Amino acid sequence: MSEQAQAVAPPVALLSAVGIKKSFAVGDRQLEILHGVDMQLYAGELLALMGPSGAGKSTLLHILGLLDRPTSGQVFLEGQRAFELPAERRAWLRNQRLGFVFQFYHLIAELTALENVVLPAMIHQGRGAYRRDRRAHEHKAEELLVRFGLKDRLTHRPTTLSGGERQRVAMARALFHDPPIVIADEPVGNLDSATGEKVLELLFEEQARRKLSLLLVTHDERLAARCQRQIYMDAGQIS
Ligand SMILES: Nc1ncnc2c1ncn2[C@@H]1O[C@H](COP(=O)(O)OP(=O)(O)OP(=O)(O)O)[C@@H](O)[C@H]1O
Ligand SMILES: [Mg+2]
């Protein structure tokens, strides 16, 4: 391949939606929320998804994150049609290749910060195998939490952490298996702006350091402007 051909090699889509439709049953009617969404998340890019409340952003993110099924259409994850794979394989992909950060953290209340972060390994390995590798997992989780400024919060339970601290724990959990893709649905939407900015700086640093493909939903124009690319969704369609 010539140097010029290499320079214009097309970007690789790690995650893409093709013709995604999603309907929910409401009473005896089907309410269509996504009307055929096409989008790509390229390797290593920081992509902002914006749009008014109710546009369908979270619905789309749950499908891209393999947390919910589309009514029709395809999600390609690293070239594979994710919803045509056996459920176990899809669960493996969700565990190993994707990290998801929610607006409301979704931490397990009964577990400490450290235990919440190692949860993906517990789920992946099952109890027995997890116990064998426990020290290594805990060491890795601790490193992440320390990098996120939570050195003195390792054994705290979520209710004894501030919102910003909870979201940092949730980010550490999302990054635990070093996934190439992270999906974040308004990760600082529930935090005051100063705290949100700090939490987001950490996420952006990780994105750059790990060359993550990061899909970020935000209502904040300023934040979206810091992403390499912006896409807009309205009434169930990418505009
Ligand atoms: N399980 C469900 N059953 C019925 N309707 C649903 C369901 N989940 C979402 N919806 C509807 O789908 C639409 C899109 O919701 P979604 O949460 O995806 O919007 P959003 O773009 O993320 O909004 P926001 O910016 O407020 O988070 C809304 O009108 C919502 O009421
Ligand atoms: Mg939403």
Side-chain angles (χ1 to χ4, degrees):
M1 201 189 291
S2 74
E3 243 175 62
Q4 197 183 3
Q6 278 178 10
V8 294
V12 182
L14 279 195
L15 183 64
S16 53
V18 179
I20 294 290
K21 292 188 178 181
K22 178 70 181 177
S23 301
F24 293 109
V26 180
D28 54 4
R29 289 194 321 129
Q30 288 291 318
L31 186 63
E32 192 171 274
I33 299 298
L34 301 179
H35 305 298
V37 172
D38 297 318
M39 61 148 290
Q40 289 81 35
L41 176 68
Y42 295 110
E45 83 166 333
L46 176 48
L47 174 65
L49 171 61
M50 303 194 76
S53 187
K57 304 181 298 299
S58 295
T59 304
L60 176 63
L61 256 59
H62 286 132
I63 292 170
L64 288 171
L66 313 185
L67 298 166
D68 197 6
R69 292 190 79 91
T71 307
S72 62
Q74 295 288 344
V75 170
F76 288 86
L77 175 58
E78 298 179 312
Q80 302 177 78
R81 291 171 186 257
F83 288 99
E84 289 182 5
L85 297 169
E88 279 157 35
R89 177 70 186 162
R90 196 160 48 251
W92 183 89
L93 287 171
R94 196 163 51 222
N95 183 278
Q96 297 283 317
R97 309 302 289 163
L98 287 165
F100 207 106
V101 183
F102 302 89
Q103 180 175 357
F104 297 104
Y105 329 120
H106 290 271
L107 297 173
I108 309 283
E110 291 77 18
L111 301 181
T112 65
L114 192 83
E115 287 164 348
N116 266 283
V117 177
V118 297
L119 199 59
M122 281 188 197
I123 291 168
H124 176 57
Q125 290 190 306
R127 254 171 191 275
Y130 173 79
R131 255 196 225 124
R132 193 192 58 216
D133 299 336
R134 186 175 153 190
R135 270 175 197 280
H137 291 316
E138 288 186 351
H139 181 69
K140 185 173 181 184
E142 192 173 329
E143 266 182 356
L144 270 167
L145 289 168
V146 169
R147 194 155 69 237
F148 288 170
L150 296 171
K151 184 169 173 289
D152 300 323
R153 298 287 183 278
L154 302 179
T155 57
H156 283 231
R157 292 186 202 282
T159 49
T160 65
L161 295 170
S162 71
E165 289 169 345
R166 288 182 204 187
Q167 196 57 305
R168 282 181 276 159
V169 173
M171 280 169 12
R173 178 185 58 190
L175 293 169
F176 184 79
H177 275 143
D178 303 309
I181 301 166
V182 171
I183 296 176
D185 192 359
E186 297 193 57
V188 300
N190 197 40
L191 303 175
D192 68 78
S193 59
T195 306
E197 209 146 300
K198 281 188 204 143
V199 168
L200 221 85
E201 276 323 315
L202 292 171
L203 189 59
F204 282 173
E205 265 172 38
E206 291 299 317
Q207 189 273 330
R209 216 165 59 82
R210 297 164 181 258
K211 300 188 173 60
L212 285 175
S213 300
L214 173 61
L215 174 58
L216 174 73
V217 166
T218 178
H219 284 285
D220 184 337
E221 294 274 357
R222 221 162 41 95
L223 265 184
R226 290 187 55 190
C227 296
Q228 289 148 359
R229 197 160 65 87
Q230 296 79 27
I231 54 176
Y232 296 87
M233 185 167 206
D234 197 4
Q237 268 164 339
I238 301 282
S239 53

